[in-house]
Amino acid sequence: MGNDILKAIPVLEQDIPADQFMVNSFWLPLAWVSAVVIPLAVLAAWWWYRRSRKQAVTGPTPQQEALAALAELDAQLPPMRECALRLSLILRAYLAGQTQDPALYETHEEFSQRMDSLAHVPASCQYATRELLEHLAEFKYAGETTHDATRAHTLVETARELVNRIEAAQQQQQKEEVPA
């Protein structure tokens, strides 16, 4: 039995050149390079597409959102209490988005008592902003439900002018901060 195993093992020839075992083919290295390069190129193209798409897709600015909401409110002109409530919400949302002031998340009383309220609003607009919010609070808490379209339109216009003034003042501050 041990003899059978030894006879089963083939004997190799001694003088076989190594070139005989090498396959000289142009396609094999090309296939390996393609297997690596093509997925990397696809991955790079996908990454570039996602990155450029993220930069291109930016939402509306807080100013644009506020002006659109003010235009909608001006078209509807609800009763004074509702108009004041909605105007206050629009202004507070604008301040939260544009100046990172937490006014949107506070009651009027909390806002009034906070020492640093409107600290991020340009100094030239702080008094007008505080005064308009105080004026709107009077309407909100007075419970007045009359429908005075002229007064409501005036409040909406005042808010629109204030939003534009804050935006212009912030842009001016940025220009002054950036050395030429």
Side-chain angles (χ1 to χ4, degrees):
M1 187 175 216
N3 238 355
D4 293 336
I5 293 177
L6 289 176
K7 290 180 183 176
I9 299 175
V11 178
L12 298 177
E13 297 176 22
Q14 297 293 328
D15 297 332
I16 300 177
D19 294 345
Q20 184 177 354
F21 296 104
M22 293 179 57
V23 177
N24 286 333
S25 174
F26 168 75
W27 298 109
L28 187 62
L30 184 64
W32 279 106
V33 168
S34 297
V36 172
V37 170
I38 290 174
L40 287 177
V42 169
L43 184 64
W46 175 78
W47 177 78
W48 178 80
Y49 170 75
R50 296 243 326 153
R51 183 176 170 164
S52 65
R53 191 169 142 228
K54 281 183 184 176
Q55 292 172 352
V57 179
T58 56
T61 65
Q63 180 193 22
Q64 292 169 336
E65 289 177 352
L67 293 176
L70 290 170
E72 181 182 330
L73 184 61
D74 198 20
Q76 296 171 356
L77 291 178
M80 286 307 298
R81 182 167 190 266
E82 182 184 343
C83 183
L85 283 166
R86 289 175 59 187
L87 258 177
S88 178
L89 184 62
I90 291 167
L91 283 175
R92 289 169 181 256
Y94 169 73
L95 292 173
Q98 186 69 22
T99 64
Q100 284 69 46
D101 190 274
L104 179 62
Y105 313 106
E106 298 174 320
T107 65
H108 178 71
E109 191 173 88
E110 291 171 332
F111 171 75
S112 297
Q113 292 177 354
R114 186 168 43 96
M115 296 299 281
D116 68 339
S117 62
L118 303 178
H120 299 293
V121 173
S124 61
C125 302
Q126 286 180 1
Y127 179 76
T129 304
R130 184 174 301 282
E131 189 171 303
L132 180 58
L133 289 171
E134 291 289 334
H135 192 61
L136 292 173
E138 292 172 13
F139 285 114
K140 288 190 311 187
Y141 299 122
E144 188 176 333
T145 58
T146 59
H147 186 71
D148 187 352
T150 306
R151 192 182 235 179
H153 177 70
T154 303
L155 285 173
V156 171
E157 279 303 311
T158 303
R160 183 178 289 122
E161 290 171 9
L162 180 62
V163 166
N164 288 327
R165 278 183 44 211
I166 290 172
E167 184 72 22
Q170 283 184 328
Q171 288 177 356
Q172 185 64 33
Q173 282 179 346
Q174 288 174 352
K175 285 180 185 176
E176 291 171 359
E177 289 174 1
V178 177

